[in-house]
């Protein structure tokens, strides 16, 4: 459940960078997603009315984002524009602090989240795996957190596995969505096995040789990872442990 929205699929899919609108539409369908993310700025320059019509045809929940915003005022203004265009209080809040890594600015992120939450937005903050930052975002009104696995579009997968495990442990009742850095279905399965609630993808699908097939692969991997988490993974051991006991066997000598 995300802000009272029942989550059927645990895959959220971005809509930027696909080779064609037709491929995007097919990938959305193959992914099984319920939620698609849209950058207001990219939509304004590359899609217009045709792109909005495509989004309507999918019948998916729209999660606008404030991609490419580097300050509080810029992010808040973009969020208000997105609310008017897409008629939703949902906003994926990005306030970038470092141009090379696209790491979020934690101070500006908290302030922008506070302003938007007070104005009735339901905020999905893109953040690092910082526990203090997570606490501050929850305090200002966020009910969902979106930590990165690694920098946006890098495909590196999880770079700080212990940090993400700590976040999951410290906030057991908060929906946590891995956002950014996932490049392969195996990496998506890994974070789902750790107990995260969902994964948001864009580049790994959009830039694949076969985006539609890759969308289906991620769908299966995320479902498998979640099923494995619920089933209970076996603990790791330092030594071998035979599945068949040695005692009670017949002596052949």
């Amino acid at each position: 459940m995300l802000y009272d929205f029942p989550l059927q699929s645990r895959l959220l899919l971005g809509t930027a960078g696909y080779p064609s609108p037709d491929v995007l539409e097919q990938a959305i369908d193959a992914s099984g997603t319920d939620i698609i993310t849209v950058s207001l700025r990219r939509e304004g320059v590359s899609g217009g009315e045709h792109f909005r019509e495509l989004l309507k045809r999918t019948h998916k929940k729209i999660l606008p984002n404030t991609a490419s915003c580097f300050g509080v005022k810029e992010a808040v203004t973009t969020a208000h524009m997105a609310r008017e265009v897409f008629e939703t209080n949902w906003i994926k809040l990005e306030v970038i602090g470092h141009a090379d890594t696209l790491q979020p600015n934690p101070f500006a992120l908290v302030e922008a989240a506070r302003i938007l939450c007070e104005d009735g937005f339901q905020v999905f903050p893109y953040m690092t795996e910082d526990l203090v930052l997570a606490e501050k975002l929850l305090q200002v009104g966020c009910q969902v957190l979106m930590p990165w696995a690694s920098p946006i579009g890098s495909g590196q997968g999880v770079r700080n596995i212990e940090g993400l495990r700590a976040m999951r442990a410290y906030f057991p009742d908060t929906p946590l969505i891995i956002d950014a850095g996932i490049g392969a279905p195996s990496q998506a399965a890994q974070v789902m096995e750790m107990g995260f609630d969902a994964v948001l993808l864009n580049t790994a699908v959009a830039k694949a040789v076969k985006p539609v097939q890759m969308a289906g692969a991620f769908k299966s991997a995320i479902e498998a990872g979640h099923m494995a988490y619920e089933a209970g993974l076996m603990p790791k051991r330092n030594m071998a442990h035979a599945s068949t006991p040695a005692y009670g066997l017949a002596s052949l000598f």
Side-chain angles (χ1 to χ4, degrees):
M1 189 75 72
L2 301 176
Y3 289 109
D4 298 324
F5 179 80
L7 194 65
Q8 302 300 320
S9 168
R10 294 177 182 273
L11 168 58
L12 287 68
L13 192 66
T15 56
Y18 287 80
S20 71
D22 185 56
V23 170
L24 167 59
E25 196 165 3
Q26 291 180 52
I28 291 172
D29 184 62
S31 73
T33 186
D34 300 316
I35 302 169
I36 53 178
T37 66
V38 180
S39 168
L40 179 65
R41 291 184 169 185
R42 295 194 187 104
E43 184 273 340
V45 298
S46 63
E49 290 297 328
H50 293 294
F51 186 64
R52 285 194 287 273
E53 285 300 318
L54 184 155
L55 297 179
K56 289 180 181 178
R57 288 199 303 271
T58 68
H59 301 292
K60 305 300 182 181
K61 178 75 171 176
I62 303 296
L63 174 60
N65 65 56
T66 63
S68 303
C69 289
F70 282 80
V72 173
K73 184 177 180 180
E74 187 180 17
V76 169
T77 300
T78 302
H80 278 89
M81 293 171 63
R83 180 158 66 179
E84 291 185 17
V85 171
F86 297 109
E87 299 179 335
T88 179
N89 285 325
W90 276 25
I91 192 72
K92 181 192 168 193
L93 181 61
E94 298 183 26
V95 188
I96 303 302
H98 192 267
D100 290 334
T101 64
L102 300 182
Q103 180 171 327
N105 180 328
F107 309 103
L109 180 64
V110 171
E111 178 61 13
R114 181 191 64 79
I115 294 170
L116 292 173
C117 287
E118 289 178 354
D119 197 31
F121 282 88
Q122 294 173 316
V123 178
F124 294 68
Y126 158 66
M127 58 179 295
T128 61
E129 66 279 17
D130 187 310
L131 298 181
V132 176
L133 175 58
E135 190 66 53
K136 294 294 184 183
L137 289 166
L138 294 175
Q139 289 173 359
V140 300
C142 297
Q143 297 180 27
V144 176
L145 299 175
M146 302 184 75
W148 69 355
S150 53
I152 293 173
S154 69
Q156 295 178 21
V158 179
R159 293 205 306 185
N160 183 5
I161 190 168
E162 294 306 324
L164 288 175
R165 281 176 173 162
M167 177 170 280
R168 180 71 283 177
Y170 272 87
F171 304 102
D173 301 320
T174 300
L176 300 180
I177 302 171
I178 294 295
D179 175 21
I182 297 296
S186 57
Q187 297 168 358
Q190 178 190 22
V191 297
M192 294 304 295
E193 289 174 357
M194 292 164 59
F196 284 86
D197 297 285
V199 174
L200 192 156
L201 300 165
N202 192 160
T203 307
V205 174
K207 299 303 182 182
V209 175
K210 298 180 179 180
V212 177
Q213 185 172 330
M214 186 62 76
F218 271 108
K219 175 180 182 290
S220 298
I222 288 170
E223 290 174 350
H226 180 65
M227 288 177 63
Y229 173 73
E230 289 196 324
L233 296 168
M234 66 170 287
K236 292 183 178 179
R237 301 185 175 102
N238 292 327
M239 299 292 289
H241 185 82
S243 57
T244 302
Y247 60 85
L249 296 178
S251 176
L252 303 180
F253 302 98

